[in-house]
Amino acid sequence: MTASTVLRAEGVSREFGSGDAVTKVLHDCDIEVLAGQTVAIVGKSGSGKSTFANCLSGLDRPTSGRITLLGQDLAELDETSMARLRAENIGFVLQKDNLVPTLNLAENVAAPLIMSGMRLSEALERAREALEEVGLGHRAGSWPGQVSGGEAQRAAVARACVNEPAIVFADEPTGALDEENGLRVQELLRVKVKERGAACVIITHDLDLASGADVVATMSAGTFVMAGRVG
Ligand SMILES: Nc1ncnc2c1ncn2[C@@H]1O[C@H](COP(=O)(O)OP(=O)(O)O)[C@@H](O)[C@H]1O
Ligand SMILES: [Mg+2]
């Protein structure tokens, strides 16, 4: 592991169910993500991308294999320590429904800061600034149900990055958007992670989105079929 390795997975497998009903979804997956690097994981629907990302980000646990995030072996963490590691070091952008519907945009973006112990007034101030940075300063008091899909995803990017996480996971972040809004969210995510020197793992079946990454890794039937550097 080099000094700038943020995330490393070795021989990760994930099975669901047991006995005769066991489904093997991931087989022996390896990946390494360095600080400041964006890695795209591409592959057809059902190839195991989300299952792998969920293991990498500590939302799920692999059946076998080893995942190290910031030098910490995730298998050694109980649920409380894992939750703290996620809250302090990982940003998430999902395909949709990223925002809590009963919190306004500023409160949504402030949530990771509050969970990390920042005072409410300071967190809301910082959240408003983060919304300004993604062109949504005027939407700080709006409810998620009042904004467009593109605006909600831009707010989700602001929230994912507000805590200065070491790594951001984006699982199909533009999957529910039209092309114009998808491009805008994609560019925003790229700029936000780069300016913070964060690592980023983007899961996508959109090759345009993947082409902006430093490394593209292709999954098929639960395993990596090739990995290469782009450009
Ligand atoms: N909890 C689960 N139990 C059983 N099978 C699952 C579970 N989660 C995912 N799978 C299966 O794993 C395969 C990969 O799913 P997923 O990781 O969501 O793929 P992708 O994100 O590439 O579309 C699919 O066949 C899916 O049905
Ligand atoms: Mg998926």
Side-chain angles (χ1 to χ4, degrees), residues 43-51 53-54 95 171-172 203-205:
K44 286 188 195 143
S45 178
S47 57
K49 304 182 298 298
S50 294
T51 303
N54 291 345
Q95 183 167 347
D171 191 346
E172 308 274 8
I203 316 307
T204 182
H205 57 253

Side-chain angles (χ1 to χ4, degrees), residues 11-32:
V12 167
S13 298
R14 180 69 170 104
E15 295 173 357
F16 293 104
S18 59
D20 286 348
V22 75
T23 313
K24 202 159 184 188
V25 171
L26 296 178
H27 319 260
D28 208 17
C29 293
D30 299 334
I31 203 167
E32 181 169 32

